[in-house]
Each structure stands twice: as C-alpha cells, then as structure tokens.
Amino acid sequence: MLFYPWNFGFCEREFVRVLLVANYPPDRQQSMWRLARLFSNALPQFGVRCEIIQPSPVFGGRLPSNRGLGKWLGYLDKYLLFPKSLARAAGRWMSGPPQDALIHILDHSNAVYTRVLQPWPHLVTCLDCLAIRSAQNEFPENPTRWTGKQLQQAILGGLNRACHIAAASLATARDVGRLCTLPPQRLSTIHLALNYGYAPMGESEAARHIKALLSRASFSATKLVEPFLLHVSGNQWYKNRPGLLRMYLLLVQQQPTVPRLILVGEPLPNVLRRFIAEHGLSDHVTVLTDCGDEELRALYTRAELVLFPSLAEGFGWPILEAQACGGRVLTSDVEPMPEVAGASAFFVNPRDDRAAAEVLGQAIQEPAASRRARIAEGLQNVQRFSLDNMMTQYVQLYRNLIKQ
C-alpha cells in the first residue's frame, strides 16, 4: 500500500479531507496517474486536504501486468492484499471528525473496493462503461473471456454499492443509469478538465521540441517540413487505429500529396505494421512512442489536423488537448465526442471509411478564414472544461455526501 501525502498551500480553513484511491502502479495507466495528480494538486486550493493511496506491487511488478503471469500476480496485489490495507487505511482516515472526511475512488475499474468502504461516505468517478458493456456482448469487435466477464461483473457490483458515482460525461452517465441499479439521486455528471497545461506553443519552441522528439526516435526532422496529421492513442479496440489507417489509405489513393500521418502512443501491433507495408504507406506514416508532455503539446500546436475517430469513448481527452493548443479536430459522431468537442470539430461515422476519408479531404482543404474561425471556436469550447469548474463541482459533491 502506497501513501502519497501532498501539501500545496491549503486554504485557511480545511473543511474536507479526502482519501484518493488511485490505480496499481505496474498497470502504467498514464492517464489515470495524471488524473490522480490533477486532484491531489488542485484540491488543496479549494480547502481540501487529500492523500493518495494505491495498491503496492508485492506479488506483481516484475512482469508486465497486462498479460500472462504478471496479470494474475497483479490481481493478487489488487484484489487480495489491497482491500484489507484499504479498509485499515480508511478506518484511520475516518477516525477524525466524521463530518469532514470521505474516500474517493478515482477510477471505476476499482469499484470492487466499495465492498470494504460501506461504513463510510465514498464516491466513485466513472470514466466509461466500455469494459462492462463489452462483457455484456454489446461490442462484437471486442469479445470478452469468461474471466474478464467475472471481473466486470464484480466491478458492476461495486458500482451498485457505491454511495455516489460521478460520471465523466453525459454519455457515460446514461450508460451507468442503464447498466446499474443505482437510484438517480446517487449519480452525477462532472466533466473532466485537462490534466496538463495544454496551450498554443510558439513556432520556434514547438520546432525545437519536435526536433528533439524525432532525434530521439531516430527520425529526420525534415520529415516534418510539410504539414502533418496527428493521432494520439493506444491500441485499444475502441481507439479504431485500423479504421483510421483505412480512412487515411483511401485519401492517399485519391491525393498522393496528402500530409503525413503521425501516430503517437503505443507501438503498432504486427497486423497494422503489415497493413502499412502492404499498402505502400511506409513513407506516409510515422509512429512515435516516447513523447513527453511538452513534445505532445508542440505536435498538437503544429498539426494540420488532429484525428480522433474512436468507435466509443468515455470522455475523449485528446479532443480538448488539441483544441486547447489551437488545433482543429476531426472526430466521431458517436457520443460523447460531440458532447466534448462542441460544434467546432469535423464529425465522421467511424465505421464508414469512405465517407470519413471524404470529410478528411475536405477538412485538409478548408479555407483559411474558416480555419481561423474553427480554431477560435475550439479554444472557446475548452473553457467549458476548466479545472475551476471541475473542482468546484467535486468539492460541492464531497460536502453533500458528508452531510448525508
């Protein structure tokens, strides 16, 4: 069990104490660690004292936790050892004045821990219901094994036991309302804020960061002289990297001078590397796997267009990240993408490659005046997702839960 106390200049009066339950470190979920860091850094500014607790790698940690033996060893750490540690830690945390403290599970995939938190007020942030929906056969392209279905059933049970759930989007809230037996009054929607200081970067600074990134990846900086398209994601099925490449291939076949496509995130699986080679895209696609925050900010700033044609999402951070950097976005017409992107994005059906390629071609050729208006509208849209809005709503929810 790992504790991370943070002291970032509390307000004069601390009216809430929150124990933040974060994810298992060997799972290396960057976005979830950023979310935990976002809460722990921001809450003290709103008069909230907080600490982070997460499972310790006792059995696991030496092997990859996403497959094989390492996965099962991680399960021992997360589901056998940690619940007992969490119960003891929560008991100590709640031993002070009972009216000012609660526990906040930051990721719905850890909702199984609500079983040991029943004596105390607690909250679960639900980012999406995609794994639960997959386990219920709602996504044929992502079949779930028996063991996975049992885990998702346990997570769903944990959500049903929660004192309250805060969904990251209206789309996620609808899924929670449909899948869970939770009464409506125990469900809220609180949009996420950006988990890094994304903003437009100066041209020379962006060029310097990108040059360093390409040099580290053994690419020539001259490959970015021309405009480029950008996609930021992992290889999860719903990120739709195969569909993105099919869409891009159709456009390349029509317009050989189409801008280069840069894929940032995890290394491509073999099947996608073969697709690129077999369809002559090797000179058109660049894959970057080791990208820092400022380098990503530079890419967002310089990109001709940011592509995010996901099949499903719980929220869609890259949309806001791109808009915050002054980038234009092409994304799916599937909720919650329109909910997050607002009216400034280009929208496509992620399952219709040909129609999506046509919209992509139109977006690349958008007139300058329309581009400027779209970028301004995107920058305005990001303001809806400010950290102040997010934390104000969470702190109010904390206070309401403590009063119950």
Side-chain angles (χ1 to χ4, degrees):
M1 178 180 63
L2 304 179
F3 267 102
Y4 292 90
W6 302 88
N7 297 286
F8 289 92
F10 296 153
C11 298
E12 288 185 11
R13 179 169 173 264
E14 298 171 16
F15 54 83
V16 177
R17 295 182 297 114
V18 179
L19 183 62
L20 300 170
V21 181
N23 288 28
Y24 183 56
D27 285 345
R28 298 179 181 177
Q29 295 168 301
Q30 276 291 332
S31 61
M32 294 314 306
W33 174 239
R34 284 183 176 180
L35 184 64
R37 186 174 60 187
L38 181 71
F39 271 92
S40 62
N41 287 345
L43 283 175
Q45 302 172 36
F46 290 80
V48 178
R49 178 190 169 198
C50 58
E51 291 183 4
I52 294 179
I53 183 174
Q54 58 191 150
S56 297
V58 177
F59 292 105
R62 291 186 174 86
L63 297 172
S65 65
N66 61 344
R67 63 180 186 273
L69 180 60
K71 178 179 179 179
W72 290 100
L73 293 175
Y75 282 174
L76 292 177
D77 289 335
K78 289 186 283 188
Y79 305 129
L80 178 64
L81 298 184
F82 184 62
K84 299 176 182 178
S85 299
L86 175 60
R88 290 193 296 268
R92 292 193 298 269
W93 186 256
M94 302 299 295
S95 63
Q99 69 274 12
D100 73 346
L102 78 160
I103 299 101
H104 183 176
I105 297 175
L106 294 173
D107 182 356
H108 60 278
S109 66
N110 294 323
V112 292
Y113 302 141
T114 60
R115 178 173 52 84
V116 300
L117 299 179
Q118 292 306 299
W120 308 291
H122 61 273
L123 162 70
V124 179
T125 289
C126 184
L127 303 171
D128 65 69
C129 295
L130 301 184
I132 295 173
R133 293 175 62 188
S134 290
Q136 297 191 8
N137 303 316
E138 292 191 16
F139 297 114
E141 58 268 79
N142 186 50
T144 303
R145 295 179 179 177
W146 182 86
T147 52
K149 290 185 176 183
Q150 301 311 302
L151 175 58
Q152 294 307 316
Q153 189 61 37
I155 291 171
L156 183 59
L159 290 174
N160 285 328
R161 286 191 299 267
C163 289
H164 201 92
I165 296 175
S169 67
L170 292 171
T172 296
R174 285 193 291 269
D175 283 341
V176 172
R178 177 172 61 86
L179 296 167
C180 294
T181 58
L182 211 67
Q185 63 270 25
R186 287 164 59 186
L187 173 62
S188 303
T189 300
I190 302 179
H191 285 130
L192 298 175
L194 289 171
N195 56 20
Y196 186 74
Y198 290 104
M201 183 179 286
E203 185 175 340
S204 60
E205 184 182 3
R208 176 170 54 83
H209 281 293
I210 293 174
K211 181 178 180 181
L213 172 62
L214 293 176
S215 176
R216 193 168 64 249
S218 301
F219 287 110
S220 169
T222 59
K223 291 188 176 183
L224 283 187
V225 171
E226 60 182 1
F228 61 90
L229 309 174
L230 179 66
H231 177 65
V232 179
S233 82
N235 288 317
Q236 300 95 324
W237 66 271
Y238 56 89
K239 295 299 183 182
N240 196 27
R241 275 182 158 181
L244 170 67
L245 288 172
R246 292 194 303 268
M247 175 206 318
Y248 182 69
L249 173 63
L250 288 170
L251 188 61
V252 169
Q253 290 172 342
Q254 298 168 13
Q255 305 176 26
T257 59
V258 67
R260 170 177 294 275
L261 173 61
I262 296 180
L263 303 176
V264 173
E266 297 175 351
L268 291 181
N270 291 335
V271 63
L272 293 187
R273 288 203 297 267
R274 286 196 300 269
F275 180 91
I276 289 172
E278 291 171 0
H279 291 87
L281 289 177
S282 298
D283 291 334
H284 294 268
V285 178
T286 299
V287 180
L288 300 173
T289 59
D290 182 20
C291 187
D293 292 326
E294 285 297 277
E295 292 164 342
L296 182 56
R297 183 178 154 221
L299 289 170
Y300 278 136
T301 299
R302 290 277 299 272
E304 170 80 2
L305 191 67
V306 176
L307 311 181
F308 196 71
S310 294
L311 297 174
E313 289 284 344
F315 185 69
W317 258 319
I319 295 172
L320 293 183
E321 294 168 358
Q323 290 180 334
C325 294
R328 298 182 304 144
V329 175
L330 181 148
T331 188
S332 302
D333 59 6
V334 179
E335 292 293 355
M337 273 64 82
E339 175 188 342
V340 173
S344 68
F346 294 94
F347 293 102
V348 300
N349 179 348
R351 300 180 186 276
D352 189 337
D353 301 333
R354 194 164 297 279
E358 183 176 345
V359 175
L360 174 56
Q362 295 169 356
I364 292 172
Q365 298 172 8
E366 185 177 28
S370 179
R371 287 180 182 227
R372 289 192 294 270
R374 191 179 299 277
I375 289 170
E377 193 171 0
L379 288 167
Q380 183 63 36
N381 178 64
V382 174
Q383 303 309 310
R384 296 192 294 126
F385 303 89
S386 70
L387 182 61
D388 185 72
N389 286 344
M390 173 184 168
M391 287 303 164
T392 297
Q393 291 179 75
Y394 265 106
V395 172
Q396 185 59 54
L397 180 55
Y398 292 161
R399 297 171 74 177
N400 292 344
L401 288 173
I402 288 170
K403 290 177 183 177
Q404 292 179 3

